[in-house]
Amino acid sequence: MAKTEEICTFCGKNRRNVNLLITGLFGAICDNCVRQAYGIVNENQPKSGHASLLNKQELPKPKDIKAFLDQYVIGQDEAKRYLAVSVYNHYKRLMQRVTKEDVEIEKSNIIMVGATGTGKTLLARTIAKKLHVPFSIVDATVLTEAGYVGEDIESILTRLLQAADYDVEAAQRGIVFIDEIDKIARKGDNPSITRDVSGEGVQQGLLKLLEGAIVNVPPQGGRKHPEQRMIPVDTRNILFVCGGAFDGIEKKIAQRLNTRVVGYVASKDTTAVDRENLLQYITPADLKAFGMIPEIIGRLPILTYLKPLDRSALRAILTEPKNSIIKQYIKLFEMDQIELAFDEEVYEYVVDKAIDLKLGARGLRSIVETIMMDAMYQMPSDSAKTLTVTLDYAKEKLEETDVNRLQIA
């Protein structure tokens, strides 16, 4: 009696025509059918975690969110509290089941103002680790009006869709951080024959997104794939967090506070103004004077600021956070089985240089990178397995490099 040839129960191919044939008690299946079945299961599987309603017991409280931020970001307690409360209220808003008689909670978009290197983007990236909703960070500098060179405003939601694995329901409950929001400020009050396509034009386009509207979003980017099918996304439940340096806004604040007035008529109240940190007195009127249109200011009702980093804050940033700069370099060397250590004087030296460069926390990493560059290049190939960075070593490496190139003019 001839032996029956084994074939795939699903497609009917025999063993000679497939790479692999898996046999079982009631039949066999080939590798091609296994791959197809795996794809079908993935398509029909519910999305992971994003679309499910949040549990009240699992809802992180504002203090919990701030405590998490404290592990990664030094200082900036004011901004952390505002951000924690905004995110917490966003969670509660998503959990609300609105009825006709119920009070509908409106979303509270937030704008953070602070000098470069004070931690705006870091706050956004860190809070993303704590969230259970899709989160994306976009840069406002590349945005232009529709029809002009640059990215359309709808590309903001394209990034959010990607973060949500194209689950529209999940994306409609997400959070977007718009960085460099100050770069789309109105270029001037004087009329011009040219359009302000990357300034006021972008602000006008952002209005419908911030307020809440159904926007047709190109899933792959609008201009490169004009034939693609648009995805409608409702932005009413998307929380927008904006951040910007607003370089020069201190002058607008000073003018409003009348801090430059001299003579007998000078206000006595101006003596109490802290001229070293004018951002703490910022108001929506200052944003308007800087070049933000009133309509967009009204759609960003929560305004907070980030303090300039003093010497003690910079020193703490260098070593204390969970992912501090020094810990990162120690980990990098550890991966090559090299034990790295720093003398205490090196930390003080790096902080002094960062203050001179006026780059905030970013300056710390630039300086440490400059000091460690030769060691990172040579030691993975050498037999030495320990390195202690002394003050003399740090000074020598910085003197060999033109560190002033890092300085802001």
Side-chain angles (χ1 to χ4, degrees), residues 359-394:
L359 271 181
R362 288 193 182 95
L364 296 174
R365 186 173 191 90
S366 301
I367 295 166
V368 177
E369 183 81 14
T370 303
I371 293 171
M372 301 305 302
M373 183 55 67
D374 286 347
M376 289 190 293
Y377 176 75
Q378 295 175 358
M379 292 197 70
S381 303
D382 295 344
S383 58
K385 293 301 178 184
T386 60
L387 173 63
T388 301
V389 180
T390 63
L391 180 60
D392 291 337
Y393 179 88

Side-chain angles (χ1 to χ4, degrees), residues 263-276:
Y264 294 106
V265 296
S267 172
K268 295 180 180 179
D269 293 337
T270 59
T271 57
V273 173
D274 180 8
R275 292 174 175 81
E276 299 300 319

Side-chain angles (χ1 to χ4, degrees), residues 117-317:
T118 51
K120 300 182 297 295
T121 309
L122 180 59
L123 278 171
R125 291 188 186 279
T126 304
I127 206 166
K129 301 176 184 178
K130 187 71 175 174
L131 302 180
H132 302 292
V133 292
F135 187 99
S136 66
I137 298 178
V138 296
D139 197 333
T141 54
V142 298
L143 300 177
T144 57
E145 279 189 70
Y148 292 86
V149 175
E151 289 193 18
D152 289 337
I153 291 149
E154 288 76 16
S155 66
I156 291 175
L157 301 179
T158 301
R159 310 270 177 85
L160 188 63
L161 276 174
Q162 292 169 353
D165 297 328
Y166 291 94
D167 182 348
V168 177
E169 183 184 350
Q172 289 176 163
R173 301 164 56 252
I175 297 178
V176 176
F177 178 76
I178 305 177
D179 204 1
E180 307 291 353
I181 192 73
D182 55 311
K183 303 305 186 293
I184 62 169
R186 186 185 298 169
K187 301 299 183 285
D189 291 329
N190 296 328
S192 172
I193 59 173
T194 58
R195 291 176 63 87
D196 189 7
V197 298
S198 62
E200 184 176 353
V202 175
Q203 292 189 53
Q204 297 285 356
L206 280 174
L207 293 179
K208 60 178 181 178
L209 266 70
L210 298 177
E211 178 72 16
I214 297 177
V215 181
N216 289 323
V217 181
Q220 298 175 329
R223 300 175 190 179
K224 294 182 181 178
H225 308 276
E227 74 288 348
Q228 66 187 313
R229 181 178 61 86
M230 297 293 186
I231 300 176
V233 176
D234 191 346
T235 67
R236 285 178 298 177
N237 289 332
I238 298 175
L239 180 68
F240 290 90
V241 181
C242 302
F246 289 88
D247 188 32
I249 200 171
E250 291 88 350
K251 296 177 182 177
K252 308 291 183 184
I253 300 172
Q255 290 172 3
R256 178 175 55 81
L257 295 176
N258 203 22
T259 57
R260 293 180 178 270
V261 171
V262 295
Y264 294 106
V265 296
S267 172
K268 295 180 180 179
D269 293 337
T270 59
T271 57
V273 173
D274 180 8
R275 292 174 175 81
E276 299 300 319
N277 183 18
L278 288 172
L279 277 183
Q280 62 185 303
Y281 308 110
I282 193 168
T283 66
D286 300 316
L287 296 179
K288 182 177 182 295
F290 187 85
M292 306 299 289
I293 61 176
E295 295 90 338
I296 204 167
I297 295 172
R299 287 163 174 80
L300 297 167
I302 300 178
L303 171 61
T304 186
Y305 70 97
L306 281 81
K307 297 177 181 178
L309 299 172
D310 57 14
R311 196 180 192 287
S312 61
L314 287 172
R315 174 64 180 81
I317 288 170

Side-chain angles (χ1 to χ4, degrees), residues 314 318 325-326 329 342 346-373 376 389 394-395 397-398 401 403-407:
L314 287 172
L318 198 58
I325 298 168
I326 295 299
Y329 282 96
F342 291 82
V346 177
Y347 301 147
E348 305 298 329
Y349 176 69
V350 170
V351 170
D352 290 337
K353 282 294 182 182
I355 293 173
D356 293 340
L357 293 174
K358 299 178 181 178
L359 271 181
R362 288 193 182 95
L364 296 174
R365 186 173 191 90
S366 301
I367 295 166
V368 177
E369 183 81 14
T370 303
I371 293 171
M372 301 305 302
M373 183 55 67
M376 289 190 293
V389 180
K395 286 182 177 179
K397 295 303 177 185
L398 276 183
T401 308
V403 74
N404 289 326
R405 74 181 187 276
L406 302 173
Q407 189 171 6

